[in-house]
């Protein structure tokens, strides 16, 4: 059975600013290519998974 690799892209609203968009893409590209992996190994992006939510 294989692994699914997905990158947590944080909150997508943070990536819309011109001064952070390029560094964010470069960081995600580096993460996708870490530990012998390649961009082709990434099967998706996940947003808002690290944000804790409070339920009433």
């Amino acid at each position: 059975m294989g692994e699914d690799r997905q990158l947590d892209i944080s909150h997508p609203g943070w990536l819309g600013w011109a001064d952070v968009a390029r560094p964010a893409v470069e960081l995600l590209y580096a993460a996708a290519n870490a530990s012998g992996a390649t961009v082709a190994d990434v099967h998706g992006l996940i947003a808002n998974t690290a944000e804790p939510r409070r339920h009433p």
Side-chain angles (χ1 to χ4, degrees):
M1 185 181 301
E3 296 178 6
D4 283 335
R5 297 174 192 252
Q6 299 178 342
L7 297 177
D8 183 347
I9 62 169
S10 187
H11 188 287
W14 296 340
L15 302 178
W17 300 97
D19 60 335
V20 297
R22 183 173 199 82
V25 169
E26 291 171 353
L27 180 64
L28 291 171
Y29 182 81
N33 287 291
S35 300
T38 69
V39 173
D41 295 319
V42 177
H43 295 278
L45 302 173
I46 301 172
N48 290 333
T49 58
E51 299 282 332
R53 289 196 163 156
R54 295 184 182 180
H55 297 282

